[in-house]
Amino acid sequence: MKRVIALALALTAFTAATACAGSVGLGAFAGASIPVAQEDVGQGTLFGLRAPVKLVPLLTVEPYWASSSLGNKDVTIGGLTYTREGPDETAFGLNAMLTTGGSVQFYPYVGVGTTKLKRTAMDTSFTTYNFGLGLGFSPVSKLSVHVRGELQMAVDNGASRKFANITAGASYALFSIL
């Protein structure tokens, strides 16, 4: 009987927290994508969309779509120097964030997704893992401005490409859940 009462109290507390905490938003971001330990790719620009869904006060999930145009890189092989075309990157996935409420937020996040790198003679898809830290400010209700730094790892059969991404963006809470 004690277990049933404890479970009922926990369920009541959980539903009360979700009733006042949930929201669905939409946001955009832009920044820089910096290759880590890659000799054939240069730094590029990054932009995309995010749709933060705040489930409970401390947990937000965020589907995202991103596109990057990575820079060209001069490569020297056997004394010959040539310019290697930077690939275009398209990525989509889902981030999970441990967020706090209030007008200032500091949060860690992790994510998983799919990345496609495409350039002349290359069209490769990777499973992507990312993690990072974000800092958010809410100057007015429902509007948030975010700055983030993350490490993105695109992995395929043991080979990987890593990028350090630095972004800034804004999101707006479109509606509340419940």
Side-chain angles (χ1 to χ4, degrees):
M1 185 66 173
K2 289 181 183 179
R3 288 183 188 169
V4 172
I5 292 172
L7 182 61
L9 289 173
L11 184 59
T12 302
F14 178 76
T15 56
T18 59
C20 65
S23 66
V24 176
L26 184 63
F29 65 93
S33 184
I34 305 159
V36 176
Q38 296 182 57
E39 297 179 4
D40 65 339
V41 179
Q43 178 178 328
T45 58
L46 172 70
F47 64 91
L49 298 172
R50 295 179 176 132
V53 179
K54 190 168 200 163
L55 299 175
V56 293
L58 292 176
L59 179 63
T60 300
V61 294
E62 182 180 65
Y64 67 88
W65 170 86
S67 180
S68 181
S69 180
L70 298 166
N72 297 338
K73 185 80 174 214
D74 289 337
V75 179
T76 303
I77 297 177
L80 290 172
T81 300
Y82 69 97
T83 300
R84 184 76 183 241
E85 174 189 4
D88 292 328
E89 175 186 13
T90 304
F92 64 91
L94 182 71
N95 290 329
M97 305 180 302
L98 292 176
T99 56
T100 59
S103 59
V104 177
Q105 304 167 359
F106 181 74
Y107 52 89
Y109 65 95
V110 297
V112 64
T114 300
T115 296
K116 185 173 189 173
L117 293 174
K118 190 174 184 176
R119 69 176 165 204
T120 305
M122 181 176 108
D123 190 356
T124 310
S125 293
F126 297 89
T127 299
T128 303
Y129 303 98
N130 59 47
F131 63 92
L133 294 174
L135 180 62
F137 302 94
S138 292
V140 295
S141 178
K142 295 188 175 189
L143 178 67
S144 296
V145 177
H146 298 271
V147 177
R148 296 184 186 181
E150 75 177 16
L151 179 62
Q152 173 190 10
M153 296 168 287
V155 181
D156 181 38
N157 295 328
S160 68
R161 290 187 173 264
K162 298 171 189 72
F163 301 93
N165 297 328
I166 301 168
T167 63
S171 62
Y172 184 78
L174 298 172
F175 56 89
S176 296
I177 300 173
L178 299 175

